[in-house]
Amino acid sequence: MTPAVNQQRLAQTLDELAAFSDAAPPAVTRIVFTESDLRARAYVKALCIDAGLVVREDAVGNTFARWVGSDLSLAPVATGSHIDAIPEAGRFDGTVGVMGGLEAIRALHAVGFTPRRSIDLIAFTSEEPTRFGIGCLGSRLLSGALDASAGSRLRDMDGRQLDDVRRAAGFSGELESVRLLPGAYSSFVELHIEQGPLLERGGLDAGIVTAIAAPAGLRVTVEGEGGHAGAVLMPERRDAFLAAAEIALEVERAARATGAIDTVATTGVCRVFPGAVNSVPSRTVLEIDVRDIDGDRRDWTMARILSQCEDIAVRRGVTVTHDIINSDPPAQSDETIVEVLEGVCKEQQVRYQPMISRAYHDSLFMSRIAPTAMVFIPCRGGISHRPDEYSSPSAIARGTEVLAAALARLSTRP
């Protein structure tokens, strides 16, 4: 079955969704539980209801839109992604998986298909770590990778607890209720832009993800001694920022030291206090991201970084402390779903290749409760998390047709 996707409608819904933003076009800024996020959620829910789907939301705002199947005794199939966006982002990251999932369901319905297993479209809450400092918030809670204590433990930059923010946004109930047990879904497939250049360079239509890299997040706090920039002489300084700068360079060295192309490490946040040009920094906070498809190698990289932190602290006369924000194992895609996706690509004459995902997605956590795989589509220049992020309407439609056919096969399995 190759259901025809309405390319124009799909492109239009992506454009309309991008308009719910706190940034001027073409940029998109949509932080979880802000007004723009809530308006975007309402837009997506309205489309799902109009398509005849049954919509529900859980206590953290994960949204489920169900196409009810003919056999309610069987675990459903699911697809989906996220609609939140980091500041000054593009319009395709995550949203292709949500709008594409909806369009796949519409296309199957249009050809008279009736699923045996129900099909759920999921819009996950806060895949991006922008507000609460941890990515995949909704899918972590849903899979049990994060427990309900996160409601009081996680705070945004204004010090507001997750529980207070979500309730103010209209999502009540206890966070314990969010978790789903393994087996809640028979399979999960996520459609996503590649966020890298390999598919475009290879002239390919799709990538079938066989593994998702293991992410780890580290917050390092350097405490030095502040003072007047003119009065504190250089030999007497305990500059927290300069110590942090050395740590950031060690992050790069540690990733390169593995010799593996799949090890990556980034110091993406640096907060300097008091933040005055005429004051020696007394405290600096770094947030560091380390990823690898090999969990042991990732952990070795983390250990090297922390060892270097200790050496720098002694040499520069500062105090360095750290918190591990998250340290998640890598995920392997389900072989059966990969075979289904490969079969669909061959049937539709879609040029594809197996590949790993160096970025992590909600699929990483869905794999804890259901057999999971992903489909990547090319994006121009491999650019993502920028206003010029772009995937063509034809590329999005082609990936959506692969998704639709895969959902049809997976939902008819006994």
Side-chain angles (χ1 to χ4, degrees):
M1 173 183 290
T2 306
V5 163
N6 187 326
Q7 179 176 310
Q8 181 178 358
R9 180 173 59 188
L10 178 53
Q12 181 179 339
T13 58
L14 286 166
D15 287 345
E16 291 173 351
L17 182 57
F20 301 105
S21 170
D22 292 326
V28 177
T29 298
R30 195 161 49 237
I31 310 302
V32 66
F33 301 140
T34 60
E35 183 63 28
S36 61
D37 177 57
L38 296 178
R39 289 168 56 221
R41 289 169 178 268
Y43 171 75
V44 172
K45 287 186 288 184
L47 290 178
C48 291
I49 292 170
D50 185 64
L53 307 182
V54 179
V55 176
R56 75 172 181 90
E57 296 167 313
D58 66 19
V60 80
N62 290 319
T63 302
F64 305 81
R66 174 164 293 186
W67 185 7
V68 179
S70 61
D71 190 342
L72 301 184
S73 68
L74 298 175
V77 173
T79 188
S81 195
H82 65 99
I83 63 169
D84 64 312
I86 67 169
E88 299 293 319
R91 62 177 58 194
F92 301 101
D93 175 16
T95 59
V96 163
V98 176
M99 295 293 92
L102 175 59
E103 187 58 40
I105 290 172
R106 284 168 158 171
L108 289 170
H109 188 270
V111 296
F113 176 78
T114 300
R116 182 178 182 186
R117 297 176 182 269
S118 297
I119 299 177
D120 273 10
L121 171 63
I122 308 175
F124 296 98
T125 287
S126 194
E127 192 266 359
E128 305 292 1
T130 312
R131 185 160 191 177
F132 294 102
I134 187 168
C136 298
L137 175 60
S139 55
R140 283 180 190 272
L141 286 164
L142 189 149
S143 66
L146 191 65
D147 63 36
S149 68
S152 57
R153 183 165 42 85
L154 296 181
R155 296 174 180 264
D156 64 14
M157 292 294 291
D158 296 323
R160 299 181 65 195
Q161 292 182 346
L162 167 61
D163 272 343
D164 293 336
V165 176
R166 69 178 177 89
R167 286 170 180 152
F171 302 108
S172 57
E174 299 302 319
L175 283 187
E176 288 91 343
S177 65
V178 172
R179 184 173 183 178
L180 297 178
L181 296 176
Y185 289 106
S186 64
S187 54
F188 177 80
V189 184
E190 182 173 3
L191 177 66
H192 208 282
I193 61 171
E194 181 194 353
Q195 299 181 287
L198 300 183
L199 294 176
E200 184 184 56
R201 286 178 184 173
L204 300 171
D205 303 314
I208 298 177
V209 174
T210 57
I212 304 174
L218 181 66
R219 183 181 293 113
V220 174
T221 301
V222 182
E223 298 281 357
E225 187 173 288
H228 194 287
V232 181
L233 301 180
M234 300 304 289
E236 300 173 359
R237 293 196 176 192
R238 296 166 54 208
D239 188 314
F241 169 70
L242 293 181
E246 284 200 41
I247 292 171
L249 290 172
E250 289 299 335
V251 170
E252 179 187 41
R253 292 190 186 103
R256 291 182 178 274
T258 69
I261 195 67
D262 294 320
T263 310
V264 293
T266 306
T267 304
V269 172
C270 179
R271 301 189 186 97
V272 181
F273 301 89
V277 69
N278 61 345
S279 183
V280 177
S282 60
R283 178 163 56 101
T284 301
V285 178
L286 302 177
E287 293 188 11
I288 298 163
D289 182 294
V290 184
R291 307 186 190 197
D292 203 315
I293 60 168
D294 185 309
D296 291 339
R297 194 165 58 208
R298 189 274 315 276
D299 291 344
W300 180 91
T301 305
M302 292 276 285
R304 172 166 169 153
I305 292 169
L306 295 176
S307 175
Q308 291 300 315
C309 285
E310 294 175 1
D311 292 346
I312 291 167
V314 171
R315 179 159 42 80
R316 285 197 167 266
V318 299
T319 300
V320 179
T321 57
H322 73 272
D323 297 303
I324 296 177
I325 301 169
N326 63 281
S327 182
D328 302 299
Q332 298 293 318
S333 296
D334 179 77
E335 292 182 2
T336 299
I337 302 178
V338 168
E339 290 174 1
V340 168
L341 291 169
E342 288 179 337
V344 168
C345 286
K346 291 172 183 176
E347 182 180 281
Q348 296 185 2
Q349 297 184 325
V350 169
R351 297 164 296 176
Y352 76 95
Q353 70 175 25
M355 61 194 309
I356 64 169
S357 174
R358 291 178 174 85
Y360 72 97
H361 305 276
D362 291 302
S363 287
L364 181 69
F365 299 98
M366 286 300 290
S367 69
R368 299 189 178 197
I369 62 171
T372 297
M374 296 186 70
V375 179
F376 279 169
I377 60 171
C379 54
R380 186 171 60 195
I383 291 168
S384 185
H385 283 193
R386 285 172 24 184
D388 53 341
E389 173 183 276
Y390 180 77
S391 188
S392 70
S394 60
I396 297 169
R398 191 176 298 114
T400 300
E401 287 175 350
V402 170
L403 176 64
L407 290 177
R409 295 187 184 189
L410 294 170
S411 66
T412 54
R413 292 194 304 178

